[in-house]
């Protein structure tokens, strides 16, 4: 059925997180399917459902459900030589949301990074759809020379304003980046990002093996201070690993081929910082190849801010803007 709220929000899709209850929207664990076939396809036709919740920390061995459908190995899968096909594998990315905790309220008072927003689902869905198209359109003999679409596949990827890390973890899991996926946000969100990365390590590795890859991309998190004016470089800080302080490689020392973000222009005051940060990353002195940018921006937050941001990209950077055709977007999350 249609949520009663849909009558007041006619521009929002039926799956919008606006229609979720409090726990599903802010404090539960959200599972996102990494394919759109078999039982997972049926699941995505239902309302987005989260599992878990409260202050419970998610462990790798916790029993979860995928939008209400049990996510156990072999569920509905047929075997070929003892192995299931990619479309039949119940892989999923699972992220924890922590808006409901007092600790997260102190770290993220605006609740912009501790919950999953609609645009993150759209971007994650785009990565899943891209991967499915690649598997169908690229013969095995051409995998090493496959053509890029929208900057994918890439070697190095960086997410701005990663929040829970859903989109970046989906990109890593479907093989969109071969070397690393760097999830960046404010320093206060690093504990949540690190936890969600750890929970999905096995999923990223299993996905790589099932695609015949010897190595999975490295996924890591780092705080990133956005540029505030032209010519100001972005800056990342040091992180402690074990008993040693190991400096994260500076984003502009090891520039990404792809920068992606969702709902980072949700208010007018974010326009310049996002623009100058993209400009700084694109103009990194060590860059040897062009940088692609993928953005999923919701118009319901501040359509005027998004329009001004697009004008800045066209007028001050001279970049070519293009919409992603519906055929390249997820069947549900678009």
């Amino acid at each position: 059925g249609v949520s009663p709220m849909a009558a007041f929000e006619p521009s929002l899709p039926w799956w919008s997180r606006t229609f979720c209850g409090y726990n599903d929207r802010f404090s539960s664990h959200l599972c996102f399917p990494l394919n759109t076939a078999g039982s997972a396809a049926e699941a995505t036709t239902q309302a987005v459902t989260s599992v878990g919740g409260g202050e419970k920390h998610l462990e790798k061995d916790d029993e979860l459900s995928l939008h209400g459908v049990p996510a156990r190995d072999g569920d509905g899968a047929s075997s070929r030589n003892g192995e299931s096909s990619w479309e039949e594998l119940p892989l999923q990315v699972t992220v924890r949301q922590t808006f409901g905790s007092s600790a997260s309220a102190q770290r993220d008072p605006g609740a912009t990074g501790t919950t999953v927003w609609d645009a993150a689902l759209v971007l994650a869905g785009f990565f899943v759809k891209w991967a499915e198209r690649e598997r169908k359109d690229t013969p095995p003999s051409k995998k090493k020379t496959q053509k890029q679409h929208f900057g994918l596949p890439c070697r190095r990827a960086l997410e701005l304003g990663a929040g829970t890390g859903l989109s970046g973890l989906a990109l890593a899991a479907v093989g969109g980046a071969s070397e690393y996926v760097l999830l960046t946000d404010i320093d206060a969100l690093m504990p949540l990002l690190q936890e969600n990365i750890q929970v999905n390590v096995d999923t990223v590795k299993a996905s790589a093996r099932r695609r015949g890859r010897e190595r999975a991309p490295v996924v890591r998190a780092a705080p990133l201070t956005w540029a505030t004016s032209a010519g100001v470089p972005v800056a990342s800080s040091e992180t402690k690993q074990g008993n040693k302080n190991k400096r994260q490689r500076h984003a502009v020392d090891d520039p990404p081929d792809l920068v992606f973000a969702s709902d980072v222009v949700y208010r007018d005051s974010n326009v310049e910082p996002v623009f100058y940060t993209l400009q700084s990353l694109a103009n990194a002195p060590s860059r040897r190849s062009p940088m692609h940018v993928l953005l999923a921006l919701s118009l319901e937050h501040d359509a005027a801010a998004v329009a001004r941001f697009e004008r800045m990209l066209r007028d001050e950077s001279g970049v070519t803007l293009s919409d992603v055709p519906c055929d390249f977007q997820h069947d549900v999350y678009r």
Side-chain angles (χ1 to χ4, degrees):
V2 179
S3 167
M5 289 186 65
F8 303 98
E9 298 284 356
S11 63
L12 296 176
W14 66 265
W15 51 261
S16 174
R17 310 249 314 137
T18 301
F19 306 139
C20 291
Y22 179 86
N23 287 336
D24 286 346
R25 182 70 179 87
F26 295 113
S27 60
S28 296
H29 301 114
L30 184 138
C31 304
F32 193 89
L34 293 179
N35 54 39
T36 57
S39 62
E42 296 174 7
T44 57
T45 63
Q46 303 173 17
V48 175
T49 303
S50 303
V51 295
E55 285 301 292
K56 176 181 179 294
H57 282 249
L58 183 63
E59 302 295 337
K60 291 182 190 176
D61 297 330
D62 282 353
E63 186 173 347
L64 300 171
S65 64
L66 176 62
H67 297 285
V69 175
R72 57 182 181 274
D73 256 353
D75 185 19
S78 61
S79 177
R80 297 182 183 89
N81 299 323
E83 294 185 1
S84 299
S85 69
W86 170 274
E87 288 79 8
E88 295 164 329
L89 294 171
L91 290 176
Q92 63 188 28
V93 165
T94 303
V95 294
R96 181 177 185 242
Q97 304 177 105
T98 60
F99 173 78
S101 69
S102 58
S104 70
Q106 295 175 0
R107 293 193 299 261
D108 183 32
T112 57
T114 52
T115 182
V116 175
W117 295 84
D118 286 355
L121 293 175
V122 171
L123 194 53
F126 166 77
F127 293 141
V128 170
K129 184 69 172 184
W130 167 83
E132 291 190 346
R133 289 180 64 98
E134 288 298 298
R135 286 190 295 276
K136 293 176 182 177
D137 298 343
T138 307
S141 60
K142 301 291 186 180
K143 288 296 183 183
K144 292 185 178 180
T145 58
Q146 61 194 111
K147 186 178 180 180
Q148 276 194 327
H149 293 286
F150 309 106
L152 296 170
C154 66
R155 293 172 57 197
R156 302 177 297 270
L158 181 148
E159 182 173 15
L160 296 177
T164 64
L166 174 65
S167 299
L169 288 165
L171 173 66
V174 301
S178 59
E179 290 186 13
Y180 74 69
V181 178
L182 180 61
L183 310 180
T184 70
D185 213 305
I186 59 176
D187 186 73
L189 289 177
M190 291 303 105
L192 177 61
L193 274 174
Q194 295 287 7
E195 179 179 346
N196 285 339
I197 289 173
Q198 185 61 32
V199 165
N200 291 280
V201 164
D202 289 344
T203 295
V204 174
K205 290 182 178 179
S207 173
R209 287 194 300 269
R210 290 162 181 172
R211 286 181 285 107
R213 303 296 184 183
E214 295 181 0
R215 296 178 54 188
V218 175
V219 184
R220 66 178 192 262
L224 190 72
T225 302
W226 291 356
T228 55
S229 60
V232 176
V234 295
S236 58
S237 62
E238 295 182 349
T239 58
K240 180 176 290 187
Q241 299 184 358
N243 296 323
K244 298 180 180 179
N245 284 325
K246 183 177 180 181
R247 183 179 182 274
Q248 290 277 11
R249 295 190 70 179
H250 201 292
V252 294
D253 293 337
D254 191 13
D257 309 306
L258 173 71
V259 175
F260 61 100
S262 61
D263 267 347
V264 288
V265 185
Y266 56 89
R267 60 187 179 192
D268 191 73
S269 59
N270 279 25
V271 170
E272 278 79 10
V274 174
F275 174 80
Y276 291 128
T277 297
L278 290 174
Q279 191 178 65
S280 176
L281 291 169
N283 296 331
S286 56
R287 178 169 298 285
R288 297 293 180 267
S289 59
M291 184 182 84
H292 294 268
V293 179
L294 273 171
L295 300 173
L297 305 176
S298 299
L299 297 179
E300 66 261 27
H301 298 310
D302 193 333
V306 173
R308 189 165 76 85
F309 175 69
E310 291 180 342
R311 286 196 299 273
M312 287 189 72
L313 287 174
R314 285 193 303 267
D315 300 342
E316 298 190 30
S317 291
V319 301
T320 301
L321 300 178
S322 59
D323 294 330
V324 176
C326 286
D327 288 349
F328 286 85
Q329 296 184 45
H330 194 275
D331 297 344
V332 175
Y333 307 112
R334 57 170 68 184

